[in-house]
């Protein structure tokens, strides 16, 4: 067996023989921006306790507390954790994925997180998957999680990375080869002699940004290096060895020679728009930011601070560093290296997602911003005209120092000798442990005025008539559909947040939807390839559902977003003939006769008011059909 098969076979609870399998979830994680809805849904399901081995509620995305809404969300989340027996990681403790790796993750376990970068856990041999909040609520209630039956892509690593070439450059190279489209349903398993040359934080950078490939997750073996990492975290007892059998079989294979890689850079506005840094060297840089769940480990910051020692950041560059966790932050203070960053002119930012999700540090108009993030989608930084370039921490430092895009392997003379400390500094003072069961009864769940229940949709009608509200192109991300940044504080207030759907694409989207509804139509979205890339935010389904969107027709669609749409009773249908996309127009009206029966078949027919017929692929599992008919999963779970 390969490693994926080994772990999945121990967790399978429902093998329907169809295209999807149901697995048992051992651990869950949520973050504040998706967590409020997940727990509101869990409350709506009505279970008294959680059924997982371990669940953690993190506060990391929106920690600005601008206005009461955000602080109310945090208070609600803490009260939920205390009521139901979850760990609560307070604001300031760090980004969920970094903290989970340090504190809670265990090789061989399944982890479901309401965040698309949950696969970071694959860096220590977990099957760690991102999903929408309702799927987390289901797992918390003891339900199985359904994924497409995994196909496994083996990426065999040979050789060793050259100086100033990093794990980030490897995953950027893979994005260049595989792109962000067409990898749905795969799990990437890393093997080969190159694996043992990579530390846990490097492996985690790779599995983290595997999310951008659109795969279900990515995984590294759990070996002596994993053991050493867990031992240094004081958690050696959590280690088990996990490696693929020598004769394991894979669905697809790829070999990457680490020695042949160069420093890479993803240009605006997609993580797969990748070039070698040397190809764009010399371009003026206005901002350089180091952090996010991809590159904010102790190893990353140690390297950054060492490279900055005794140097000054260019006066033309705004330079910021956000440690990924309190552990990283504290260790950098203790070893004195934080001083190098401050002395060089760096701004030290909070241990949170911050700039990565557009919470602050929006670049100036037309600025070039160099970041160690995993995403550079249009508008995500808060400045539509700015260009975000994704690089390794080493490249970001070189750019900050010179004020130009600079290849670190050309610029730096001396390499950094990082050795993992024999003991990480473990101080969990910002983690609140679950309350003993006896004390949970008296806990009151605290909701502020901005927190409302999740909306519930009606059963699917016999026939529906839809009006097209927008027609968008390829690679529409959930950031296009449901922007975060300044709207983030309305994640618990669907009525308000739904006003922002497609804000930068079609600002009148919400008004048009409402007008169509008042004329008696349901709403339709027409899209191109790889619809719903990026985040797991189920708001990209809930808010359109709230505005009366019933059908989305696509050339292709990404896994998490597809699942979220079905969870909320929106029907995703795929053009049988891609060229039909060109024939459909905004404002056109289409009918689906007898849709309740049609969705059970492979093909659904959509008819325009002029009589043209379009064939659309349905291909839903029995479980999905049941959800669509019920008008969403919540209706079923409540029953
Ligand atoms: C992201 O990186 O896009 C986010 C913000 O972490 C999202 C979750 C969210 O929208 O709250 C994700 O990756 O799932
Ligand atoms: Fe947070 Fe950015 Fe990571 Fe999403 S990608 S979890 S916003 S740091």
């Amino acid at each position: 067996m390969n490693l994926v098969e080994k772990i999945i076979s121990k967790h399978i609870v429902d093998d329907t023989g169809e295209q999807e399998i149901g697995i048992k979830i051992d651990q869950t994680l949520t973050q504040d921006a998706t967590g409020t809805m997940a727990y509101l849904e869990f409350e709506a399901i009505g279970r008294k306790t959680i059924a997982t081995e371990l669940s953690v509620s993190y506060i990391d995305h929106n920690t600005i507390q601008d206005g009461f809404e955000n602080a109310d969300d945090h208070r609600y989340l803490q009260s939920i954790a205390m009521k139901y027996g979850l760990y609560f990681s307070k604001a300031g403790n760090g980004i969920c994925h970094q903290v989970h790796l340090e504190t809670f993750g265990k090789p061989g376990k399944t982890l479901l997180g309401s965040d698309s970068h949950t696969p970071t856990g694959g860096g220590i041999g977990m099957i760690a998957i991102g999903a929408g909040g309702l799927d987390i609520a289901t797992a918390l209630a003891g339900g199985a999680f359904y994924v497409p039956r995994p196909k496994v892509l083996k990426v065999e690593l040979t050789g060793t990375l050259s100086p100033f070439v990093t794990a980030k450059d490897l995953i950027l190279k893979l994005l260049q080869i595989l792109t962000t489209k067409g990898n749905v349903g795969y799990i990437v398993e890393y093997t080969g002699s190159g694996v043992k040359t990579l530390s846990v934080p490097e492996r985690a950078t790779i599995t983290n940004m595997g999310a951008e490939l659109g795969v279900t997750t990515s995984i590294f073996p759990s070996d002596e290096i994993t053991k050493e990492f867990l031992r240094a975290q004081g958690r050696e007892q959590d280690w088990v060895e996990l490696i693929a059998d020598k004769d394991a079989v894979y669905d697809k294979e790829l070999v990457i020679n680490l020695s042949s890689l160069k420093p890479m850079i993803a240009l605006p506005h997609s993580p797969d728009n990748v070039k070698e840094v040397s190809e764009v060297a010399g371009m003026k840089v206005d901002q350089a930011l180091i952090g996010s769940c991809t590159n904010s480990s102790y190893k990353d910051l140690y390297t950054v601070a060492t490279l900055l020692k005794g140097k000054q950041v260019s006066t033309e560059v705004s330079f910021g560093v956000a440690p990924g966790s309190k552990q990283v932050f504290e260790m950098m203070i203790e070893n004195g290296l934080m001083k190098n960053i401050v002395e060089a002119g760096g701004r030290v930012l909070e241990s949170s997602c911050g700039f990565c999700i557009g919470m602050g540090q929006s670049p100036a108009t037309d600025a070039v911003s160099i970041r160690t993030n995993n995403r550079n989608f249009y508008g995500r930084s808060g400045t539509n005209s700015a260009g975000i370039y994704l690089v390794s921490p080493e490249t970001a430092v070189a750019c900050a120092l010179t004020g130009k895009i600079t290849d670190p392997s050309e610029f730096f003379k001396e390499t950094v000798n990082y050795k993992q400390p024999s003991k990480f500094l473990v101080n969990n003072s910002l983690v609140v442990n679950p309350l003993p069961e006896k004390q949970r009864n008296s806990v009151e769940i605290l909701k502020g005025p901005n927190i409302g229940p999740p909306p519930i949709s009606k059963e699917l009608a016999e026939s529906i008539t839809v009006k097209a509200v927008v027609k968008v192109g390829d690679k529409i991300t959930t950031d296009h559909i449901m922007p975060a940044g300044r709207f983030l504080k309305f994640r618990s207030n669907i009525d308000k947040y739904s006003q922002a759907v497609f804000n930068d694409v079609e600002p009148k989207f919400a008004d048009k939807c409402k007008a169509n509804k008042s004329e008696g139509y349901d709403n339709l979205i027409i899209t191109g390839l790889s619809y719903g890339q990026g985040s797991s935010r189920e708001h990209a389904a809930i808010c359109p559902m709230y505005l009366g969107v019933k059908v989305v027709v696509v050339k292709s669609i990404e896994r998490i977003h597809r699942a979220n749409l079905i969870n909320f009773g929106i029907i995703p249908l795929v053009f049988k003939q891609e060229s039909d996309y060109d024939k459909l127009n905004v404002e056109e009206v289409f009918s689906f006769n007898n849709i309740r029966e049609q969705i059970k078949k492979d093909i659904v027919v959509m008819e325009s008011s002029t009589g043209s017929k379009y064939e659309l692929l349905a291909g839903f599992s029995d479980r999905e059909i049941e959800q669509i008919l019920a008008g969403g999963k919540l209706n079923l779970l409540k029953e």
Side-chain angles (χ1 to χ4, degrees), residues 91-304:
N93 196 44
I95 306 174
C96 55
H97 309 304
Q98 175 65 28
V99 178
H100 208 82
L101 213 56
E102 293 166 358
T103 316
F104 298 109
K106 287 189 191 175
K109 296 284 179 187
T110 51
L111 166 69
L112 194 69
S114 61
D115 193 281
S116 63
H117 291 104
T118 304
T120 313
I124 52 167
M126 302 185 85
I127 289 284
I129 305 178
L134 188 46
D135 287 331
I136 310 303
T138 310
L140 282 168
F145 174 66
Y146 288 83
V147 265
R149 186 178 295 282
K151 293 171 279 183
V152 186
L153 164 64
K154 166 176 160 181
V155 176
E156 186 182 340
L157 304 175
T158 61
T160 44
L161 292 168
S162 312
F164 295 102
V165 181
T166 68
K168 181 63 158 281
D169 302 305
L170 164 61
I171 187 65
L172 286 171
K173 183 72 195 174
L174 274 175
L175 276 153
Q176 187 183 50
I177 298 170
L178 297 169
T179 80
T180 58
K181 302 194 301 267
N183 307 312
V184 175
Y186 276 92
I187 295 183
V188 184
E189 182 174 320
Y190 290 90
T191 68
S193 58
V195 164
K196 65 174 186 313
T197 69
L198 298 171
S199 63
V200 164
E202 289 172 301
R203 296 174 184 188
T205 294
I206 295 163
T207 56
N208 170 285
M209 207 170 167
E212 276 48 70
L213 296 167
V215 294
T216 303
T217 188
S218 307
I219 188 166
F220 273 85
S222 169
D223 56 9
E224 285 301 316
I225 291 173
T226 324
K227 185 179 182 178
E228 229 356 80
F229 175 82
L230 289 173
R231 205 190 53 71
Q233 293 288 0
R235 302 202 289 125
E236 190 176 347
Q237 73 283 3
D238 289 344
W239 181 76
V240 284
E241 184 175 46
L242 288 165
I243 42 169
D245 293 334
K246 287 226 158 52
D247 54 353
V249 179
Y250 295 87
D251 297 283
K252 243 182 21 187
E253 299 191 9
L254 192 71
V255 182
I256 302 269
N257 180 356
L258 297 175
S259 315
S260 70
L261 297 177
K262 297 265 177 337
M264 309 297 282
I265 183 165
L267 312 188
H269 295 285
S270 178
D272 64 0
N273 191 9
V274 173
K275 287 201 161 39
E276 287 181 10
V277 174
S278 58
E279 292 177 72
V280 285
M283 190 188 292
K284 184 180 179 309
V285 168
D286 304 286
Q287 185 185 50
L289 296 173
I290 289 165
S292 93
C293 55
T294 323
N295 277 123
S296 57
S297 65
Y298 180 63
K299 175 178 190 298
D300 287 327
L301 264 76
Y302 181 99
T303 307
V304 165

Side-chain angles (χ1 to χ4, degrees), residues 406-593:
T406 303
D407 181 338
S409 63
E410 306 265 301
F411 178 73
F412 292 110
K413 301 278 171 291
E414 276 170 43
T415 54
V416 177
N417 260 330
Y418 169 80
K419 219 176 138 288
Q420 179 179 288
S422 56
K423 242 172 166 305
F424 287 100
L425 191 160
V426 178
N427 167 3
N428 285 329
S429 61
L430 284 180
V431 176
V432 187
N433 290 337
L435 270 190
E437 235 167 302
K438 283 192 272 15
Q439 293 173 29
R440 293 183 199 160
N441 248 346
S442 57
V443 174
E444 195 193 335
I445 294 177
L446 303 169
K447 286 187 190 147
N450 188 47
I451 302 179
I456 297 209
S457 143
K458 287 207 289 289
E459 268 197 356
L460 181 64
E462 289 304 330
S463 297
I464 54 174
T465 310
V466 296
K467 194 166 181 181
V469 195
V470 277
K471 179 174 176 179
V472 289
D474 294 345
K475 291 194 188 175
I476 290 295
T477 71
T478 52
D479 278 88
H480 289 106
I481 307 169
M482 211 54 267
R486 67 197 161 96
F487 300 108
L488 206 53
K489 66 181 188 180
F490 299 123
R491 283 280 174 100
S492 322
N493 184 337
I494 298 301
D495 185 52
K496 246 193 176 139
Y497 197 27
S498 61
Q499 291 303 316
V501 176
F502 280 119
N503 191 61
D504 291 325
V505 178
E506 168 50 283
K508 293 210 169 61
F509 184 87
D511 296 343
K512 285 188 167 183
C513 283
K514 284 181 195 152
N516 293 349
K517 277 306 272 181
S518 66
E519 290 171 26
Y521 298 117
D522 284 314
N523 291 307
L524 169 73
I525 296 172
I526 306 165
T527 85
L529 287 168
S530 197
Y531 184 63
Q533 283 192 1
S535 88
S536 67
R537 62 190 72 153
E538 62 183 346
H539 296 80
I542 302 180
C543 293
M545 178 268 259
Y546 183 75
L547 295 172
V549 173
K550 203 67 208 169
V551 182
V552 179
V553 289
V554 304
K555 287 188 187 171
S556 69
I557 187 161
E558 295 300 306
R559 174 188 65 88
I560 306 182
H561 189 55
R562 179 180 181 277
N564 283 338
L565 290 175
I566 296 172
N567 277 352
F568 288 93
I570 298 180
I571 315 172
L573 296 167
V574 183
F575 288 107
K576 187 170 173 216
Q577 303 285 346
E578 271 195 13
S579 55
D580 281 350
Y581 168 88
D582 302 321
K583 300 182 189 146
L584 311 187
N585 297 306
V586 174
E587 306 270 300
E588 242 186 301
V589 172
F590 303 92
S591 54
F592 292 91
N593 293 326

Side-chain angles (χ1 to χ4, degrees), residues 61 97 115 117 292-293 353 356-357 374 380:
H61 275 58
H97 309 304
D115 193 281
H117 291 104
S292 93
C293 55
C353 298
C356 175
I357 195 191
N374 43 39
R380 182 174 160 104

